[in-house]
Amino acid sequence: MTEHSTPQELRNRLVDRIVKASLPGLYDARVEDAMRTVPRHDFIPQASLELAYANQAVTIKDNPDPDALPLSCASQPDVVFFMLAQLGIQPGNNILEAGAGTGYNAALMRHLTGPTGNVTTLDYHEDVAAHARQRLDATGFSDVRVLTRDGALGAPEYAPFDRLIATVGVWDLPASWWDQLAVGGRLVLPLRWRGLTRSIAFVREADCLRSESLATCGFLPMIGQDGEREGYVDADHLVKLYWDADQPIHALSLRKSLAEAKEHLLWTNVAVAPDEPLDGIWLRLSAVDPATCRITVRPEAFASAAGLHRPAIPALSPALVEGDSVAYLVLEPVDVQGSKRYRLGAAGYGPAGQELAERLGMQLRAWDDDRTLPPSIIAYPAGTPDEKMASGHVIDKPSGRLVITY
């Protein structure tokens, strides 16, 4: 930033970078115009102009627990961009947002709906909603409705909605959203399952929601959804698992297998470039194997010669867990025609460690056949009979059933 840069200049530079790096198929010229027009810095006045126009999230409500995630953040601008592109707002749309945050996203949506549209935004925290209300009023968006309310309840008094967006991580689709989203409407949300999160654009059909696009993202979880579990495997708190409530996983069951560190190492011929993302592997695993979860391993656990094999991403690696056995993604540097690459494989531990490593390896090879192929995700209301759903891997949650297929 130069000394004399104006907010508009900073905003244009940020949007220029976002557009240049935008994801394939997730560009919308009207969203670009909105982000060049609506002043983000006015919604986070506590931040410097440099921070306001950096491509990063900004905390607006800290958590009193210093070891916990913040309670509310202003989302990273490039994520705001592609989620609004996924939402496909049209003039005159009636829109509901779960997670008011700073009010910035609601202002962008109000800009996009034009004079005949409506935007209602909800936030669980009274002070966050009050901040959004004050900032929207101060920036000329006083007709946006701001309600202090659990986002999972929606706003039935203003339904039906043409568009519904969540700016918090959602583990289970709230039943109220099914009732409040019009058939033909669009729902965009950061959906969480098996330890991963994807921003999914769903189109509402009469009896289901069908995915149209997916993008990698990360969001603070929605308050009140208690479907995710976590637990340390070892007494030293070096190895931790994250899984879903419907999975029969017990972290302590792995303690003996990992302590013995009898490893089954399987390498494939699949190789990636140093900067190539691995998230598609995890996504594919979640679509085919019910044992899929997440493992984190602190460096001390693999620092010694007798320690565990280093996971591909120690803080965020996919794993398969069954009973007292586990396998997770690993990599090693290799030279391919003079270029540095990383060969992918699986490290398995426990009585079924070899079998789990082979299952993971099989999905590595399947991913290698088409690394950009997205899955189809169809959501049905809870209680939908199997015979009325598409075929595929089913993940059941209290308010909905997901069918994931490749």
Side-chain angles (χ1 to χ4, degrees), residues 232 236-240 296-303 311 314-315:
Y232 287 103
D236 295 326
H237 289 187
L238 301 179
V239 182
K240 194 174 187 180
T296 66
V297 182
R298 292 175 61 88
E300 300 94 311
F302 53 81

Side-chain angles (χ1 to χ4, degrees), residues 213-224:
S213 64
L214 286 80
T216 303
C217 65
F219 275 84
L220 300 176
M222 176 178 277
I223 292 173

Side-chain angles (χ1 to χ4, degrees), residues 170-183:
V170 178
W171 183 80
D172 184 23
L173 284 169
S176 64
W177 294 1
W178 290 96
D179 300 329
Q180 295 174 34
L181 182 63
V183 173

Side-chain angles (χ1 to χ4, degrees), residues 6 10 35 49 150 155 158 207 210 213 260 270 306 325 370 381:
T6 66
L10 295 172
M35 292 189 70
L49 279 175
D150 184 345
Y158 300 113
D207 58 354
R210 192 178 300 272
S213 64
E260 291 175 351
V270 180
S325 301
D370 189 344

Side-chain angles (χ1 to χ4, degrees), residues 242-300:
Y242 298 80
W243 67 98
D244 288 342
D246 65 301
Q247 295 178 285
I249 293 176
H250 304 280
L252 293 178
S253 299
L254 298 177
R255 179 167 292 188
K256 181 180 178 182
S257 296
L258 292 185
E260 291 175 351
K262 294 180 180 178
E263 181 177 81
H264 301 278
L265 198 57
L266 177 148
W267 291 108
T268 70
N269 292 323
V270 180
V272 296
D275 58 349
E276 188 170 355
L278 304 175
D279 51 274
I281 298 167
W282 195 343
L283 188 58
R284 180 173 283 276
L285 281 171
S286 79
V288 299
D289 202 313
T292 302
C293 60
R294 167 187 165 189
I295 192 169
T296 66
V297 182
R298 292 175 61 88
E300 300 94 311

Side-chain angles (χ1 to χ4, degrees), residues 11 18 33 44 85 124 128 130 152 168 237 242 268 282 356 396 398:
R11 189 155 59 250
I18 291 172
D33 174 71
I44 42 177
Y124 184 88
V128 173
V168 291
H237 289 187
Y242 298 80
T268 70
W282 195 343
L356 292 175
D396 281 310

